[in-house]
Each structure stands twice: as structure tokens, then as C-alpha cells.
Amino acid sequence: GLSILNRECTRDYKVPESDVIIQTGTQIIISLLGIGMDEKYFPEPELYRPERFDESSRAHDPDAFF
């Protein structure tokens, strides 16, 4: 399976609460495992709970769903 997403920055971006600026053209690697195992986005990520993705009982941040 795919464990990362590759993206390219299309405009300069200042990382919030930081002095870091990601410049246009920079290659970005996003860890899907890192997002999927983050309790900030998915409560109790280590548990297999298929109902968490059921439309009637969503229990995750929809912006983190991939």
C-alpha cells in the first residue's frame, strides 16, 4: 500500500507558529501513517473500529481522512 503522499509546494507558505517558510517548488512528503495514528485526528487510532468511518457516526477529522 501507499504509505506516503508526495506533493510540490505551489506557492511560498509560512508554517504557522514558526519562522519556517516552505518555498515554491519544494517537494513535500506527507506520512499517511503519521496522520492515521495521530489521536488529534483519529481517536484511539490503534484500535480497529470500522464504524468510525460510517457516515452516521463519523468520529474523525474529515480533513485528515484519506
Side-chain angles (χ1 to χ4, degrees):
L2 184 65
S3 60
I4 60 171
L5 292 176
N6 293 312
R7 295 293 184 260
E8 182 175 318
C9 185
T10 59
R11 61 183 167 87
D12 287 357
Y13 176 78
K14 184 181 181 310
V15 178
E17 301 178 28
S18 158
D19 292 330
V20 175
I21 296 175
I22 302 172
Q23 296 181 343
T24 302
T26 301
Q27 296 296 309
I28 306 296
I29 297 173
I30 303 165
S31 168
L32 297 180
L33 180 61
I35 294 171
M37 295 301 290
D38 190 330
E39 289 192 16
K40 174 180 170 184
Y41 303 115
F42 297 97
E44 301 177 291
E46 69 285 350
L47 298 179
Y48 176 68
R49 292 182 25 211
E51 68 275 7
R52 81 171 76 222
F53 301 105
D54 183 2
E55 291 291 327
S56 64
S57 64
R58 278 217 172 130
H60 66 277
D61 183 332
D63 292 333
F65 182 68
F66 43 88

